[in-house]
Amino acid sequence: MRISRLYSIALSLLLPLTTFAAVHHVPPGPADAITRAIAAAAPGDIIQLQPGTYHGTVRVTRSGEPERPLIIAGIASGTTTKPVIDGGAEPGSKKRNQAFTFENVSWITLQDVEIRNAWTDAITINDSSYISILRCDILETGQHAISARGDRSHHILIEACKWTQDTRVYTTWDWAELHHGVFKHYNGGIYGGGAAAGGAVIRHNNAGYGFNGLRWWLGEATGAQARHQSNIEIYDNYFHHFRDNVIEPENFTWNLHVYHNRLDSCPRGVFSIDGVAGGEIYIYGNTGRWDQDGATEVRAWTVYKFADYNKKETLNYPLHIYHNSFAYGAAFARGSKVRKADDHLRHFNNAYTHQGDSHLGLIEWPGQDCQFDHDISSAPFQPDVSAAGYETHGIAATDPKFVDPARNDYRTAPDSAARDAGKIIDGFTLWHTGRAPDAGAYDGDQPVYGPPFLYREPPGGALYKERPRIVRIFARDTTLAVFFSTPLEPASLTPKTIQLKAGTTPLTVRSARFPLADQTQAVLLELDALPADATQLDITFATLPRGLNGEPGTMWAADTRVVRIPANATLTGLMARLF
């Protein structure tokens, strides 16, 4: 192992660093050498891997510090080839051949590595927090790509990674054997595991040819367990060719946001809310289509799958299903002998092209406190829909005219009946550009955005305190609406404490104000100018803002993309109050 020194420059999403960081160079060979380098490292240090293969398991037992993570880096300067961590195992259950294990650590970044032959889970995270997995290729391996457990496991970022299991999971093997038989070691997901606290951010990933996309489970949904796997964001991912379900929380989840994902060729239910207590769950702006593409299933069953009604837990708080666009089978399908449903559904402004003889569904729907309206369906509504008082403003037997689903273009044609067919949804709609919101995942040519993520304490009590982090930036002219994950102490963010750049262009912040006393997670920054081509900002803080909960802010997982509010938009709800 070779150690060199370099002066730490300011990272675009971190506070400027003023200390020296060591770079620990580890040549290919036994993975134990990486473990030893980590044990010798200090916060802010870089464990630099080289092109080649490392055999065995890397054990991460040393922590970084807030805003100074310990970094395990795959691609060195001047190279483009990711080093390979080979766990050395054949597929199977109850194996301990992980590529990486994180044990009782925090503030670690793992980036730009390839993982193979790591079973049963490729990466395990136990009682660890602020773990970032970036641009890693986890190929043909893992019941879970990342498995998290423990009350102290929270704030796990999975970003721009690729994960596959085996093409035969989708094309060849028997579903029952995969679900609970000889191939059950494939029954997992890119993120999953048991009773982790939550706080996960899963974005910009490409995951496919597996059994489930994401699956986490808890033994019970009451008492102490009613606080795990909470406050999770899943957005801007491409999920495809999954044999079972893509998004599958089990038993309990809390404050789950699933939006702007592409979900293709998943035959047995894209979303499985099967015996899940908790809420609220937001599913919006997602798109997808069914193509058999080698699957043993000839047709897709349903988009939303629920448990047999009154046989398992039901949601305690609403499930919001808004502005999704799908070209699949049924939206809500019955089982062959039972009624599958849930309570507290809010289903508005969605657009469906149903394949074959499928339709919206909702036949003998027994769920309580449910609302369905302003949706557009290519098939006629069944008699049960109108008999239940649903879809009084819905549009049936009408093609929503998606531009080109095969190329992932779910905008609707200018003459589509989906245009202006939606409703302003209380607590959700931020703006629209026509007479009313469009039905489907797009309003005009822009994806529909809902309220930014906001941390909510689960009913069983918090397992950690949320550090304020940037979750969304909206721009209107030269004003930025910057949203944090929890309310701020307004005095802690001023023009003197924040610096912005668009590329290499510094931006002058003239004022920072909090227009809503009851919504101090939102701050308006008035700029002298904002370049028209600015799509992302570099943000640094002289001092980090502080939350009303007393916690310092963080740039961990900050989403600094700029979302432009159209000039012709009619602002509603929270946006109308802010501006």
Side-chain angles (χ1 to χ4, degrees):
M1 179 180 71
R2 178 167 58 87
I3 300 177
S4 61
R5 294 274 172 182
L6 79 166
Y7 190 77
S8 296
I9 62 173
L11 300 177
S12 63
L13 297 183
L14 298 176
L15 287 171
L17 304 179
T18 57
T19 60
F20 287 90
V23 179
H24 305 253
H25 299 271
V26 184
D32 285 348
I34 306 173
T35 299
R36 292 193 298 272
I38 292 168
D45 283 2
I46 299 171
I47 310 300
Q48 183 62 67
L49 310 186
Q50 306 299 323
T53 301
Y54 299 78
H55 297 277
T57 300
V58 178
R59 304 186 188 282
V60 182
T61 57
R62 180 63 61 92
S63 293
E65 293 177 350
E67 315 312 307
R68 296 185 66 221
L70 192 156
I71 299 172
I72 305 166
I75 295 179
S77 176
T79 68
T80 58
T81 303
K82 294 179 180 179
V84 176
I85 311 297
D86 190 325
E90 294 292 326
S93 298
K94 298 181 180 180
K95 295 192 174 185
R96 302 291 183 184
N97 297 85
Q98 306 98 319
F100 289 88
T101 65
F102 296 81
E103 295 280 350
N104 297 296
V105 294
S106 59
W107 301 99
I108 306 289
T109 297
L110 169 64
Q111 61 190 41
D112 299 309
V113 302
E114 181 178 315
I115 294 172
R116 290 185 177 273
N117 304 318
W119 292 91
T120 293
D121 296 319
I123 297 172
T124 57
I125 298 172
N126 296 310
D127 284 320
S128 297
S129 61
Y130 293 98
I131 307 298
S132 300
I133 313 294
L134 311 178
R135 301 181 301 277
C136 292
D137 296 337
I138 305 169
L139 304 178
E140 299 180 3
T141 193
Q143 181 177 35
H144 297 96
I146 295 98
S147 175
R149 297 174 182 270
D151 285 1
R152 296 192 300 277
S153 283
H154 57 86
H155 289 92
I156 297 162
L157 171 63
I158 307 170
E159 178 179 286
C161 293
K162 182 177 181 180
W163 177 60
T164 61
Q165 285 184 321
D166 191 307
T167 56
R168 291 172 293 180
V169 173
Y170 182 74
T171 63
T172 305
W173 291 329
D174 180 71
W175 179 90
E177 295 293 349
L178 288 160
H179 187 267
H180 52 266
V182 295
F183 296 123
K184 65 182 180 181
H185 47 275
Y186 288 98
N187 189 350
I190 189 173
Y191 169 79
V201 179
I202 301 160
R203 65 190 184 196
H204 315 319
N205 300 289
N206 183 326
Y209 290 102
F211 193 68
N212 293 109
L214 296 107
R215 178 173 177 255
W216 58 88
W217 60 91
L218 304 171
E220 297 289 341
T222 58
Q225 296 284 354
R227 54 184 177 170
H228 293 90
Q229 298 295 12
S230 300
N231 293 292
I232 293 174
E233 299 171 82
I234 303 166
Y235 64 93
D236 286 335
N237 300 284
Y238 178 33
F239 295 107
H240 56 96
H241 301 97
F242 281 101
R243 186 67 175 279
D244 196 46
N245 312 121
V246 182
I247 311 295
E248 187 177 10
E250 293 193 354
N251 294 335
F252 178 82
T253 197
W254 180 262
N255 198 27
L256 173 63
H257 293 238
V258 184
Y259 61 95
H260 293 178
N261 298 285
R262 177 183 174 188
L263 308 116
D264 287 346
S265 298
C266 304
R268 286 182 173 262
V270 179
F271 301 96
S272 176
I273 314 297
D274 187 338
V276 179
E280 298 180 20
I281 299 174
Y282 288 87
I283 297 174
Y284 71 88
N286 301 286
T287 63
R289 65 186 288 268
W290 162 252
D291 189 322
Q292 186 178 4
D293 202 15
T296 56
E297 283 82 357
V298 175
R299 57 186 293 178
W301 175 37
T302 185
V303 177
Y304 312 103
K305 168 181 169 285
F306 300 93
D308 300 349
Y309 193 68
N310 281 335
K311 295 290 183 65
K312 293 184 179 180
E313 292 276 1
T314 55
L315 289 166
N316 310 101
Y317 297 90
L319 165 57
H320 305 271
I321 302 176
Y322 305 145
H323 286 285
N324 299 284
S325 293
F326 284 104
Y328 261 88
F332 299 89
R334 296 177 59 184
S336 58
K337 298 180 180 179
V338 296
R339 295 179 295 172
K340 294 180 177 290
D342 213 325
D343 295 335
H344 311 303
L345 263 70
R346 308 287 185 265
H347 183 271
F348 303 134
N349 300 3
N350 300 281
Y352 300 102
T353 296
H354 304 287
Q355 299 183 6
D357 59 356
S358 297
H359 45 75
L360 184 67
L362 302 179
I363 297 174
E364 298 180 355
W365 179 266
Q368 301 298 299
D369 182 35
C370 295
Q371 301 173 34
F372 302 84
D373 207 355
H374 288 273
D375 303 297
I376 181 170
S377 167
S378 65
F381 293 145
Q382 299 300 296
D384 293 56
V385 174
S386 56
Y390 300 147
E391 297 295 351
T392 57
H393 302 92
I395 301 173
T398 303
D399 184 354
K401 294 186 178 179
F402 301 136
V403 171
D404 193 350
R407 290 179 171 81
N408 194 39
D409 189 346
Y410 288 87
R411 295 174 299 164
T412 54
D415 63 344
S416 168
R419 294 290 179 108
D420 300 335
K423 62 172 285 187
I424 294 173
I425 303 168
D426 290 343
F428 180 87
T429 306
L430 301 179
W431 68 78
H432 59 88
T433 55
R435 296 188 308 275
D438 294 348
Y442 284 79
D443 189 74
D445 291 333
Q446 186 182 49
V448 171
Y449 283 86
F453 172 85
L454 181 65
Y455 169 86
R456 293 171 54 224
E457 183 172 319
L463 290 165
Y464 59 86
K465 284 189 175 182
E466 176 74 3
R467 290 174 177 255
R469 59 183 175 85
I470 296 171
V471 294
R472 186 84 54 83
I473 299 175
F474 292 124
R476 191 183 193 207
D477 299 323
T478 58
T479 302
L480 301 179
V482 182
F483 287 82
F484 288 78
S485 61
T486 193
L488 296 181
E489 173 57 56
S492 69
L493 197 161
T494 72
K496 292 183 178 180
T497 64
I498 187 170
Q499 295 88 43
L500 305 179
K501 282 186 178 181
T504 59
T505 304
L507 306 179
T508 301
V509 180
R510 291 192 289 109
S511 68
R513 57 191 179 90
F514 293 79
L516 305 178
D518 62 336
Q519 302 271 352
T520 62
Q521 73 273 16
V523 57
L524 292 187
L525 303 180
E526 303 288 349
L527 309 181
D528 276 350
L530 179 65
D533 60 351
T535 59
Q536 189 152 1
L537 301 179
D538 290 340
I539 301 177
T540 55
F541 288 97
T543 56
L544 285 164
R546 186 175 60 257
L548 288 179
N549 60 4
E551 289 294 300
T554 180
M555 291 304 291
W556 178 88
D559 191 340
T560 61
R561 296 174 300 168
V562 177
V563 178
R564 305 268 180 168
I565 300 174
N568 63 337
T570 299
L571 303 186
T572 63
L574 179 59
M575 287 293 104
R577 292 183 64 203
L578 270 177
F579 288 97

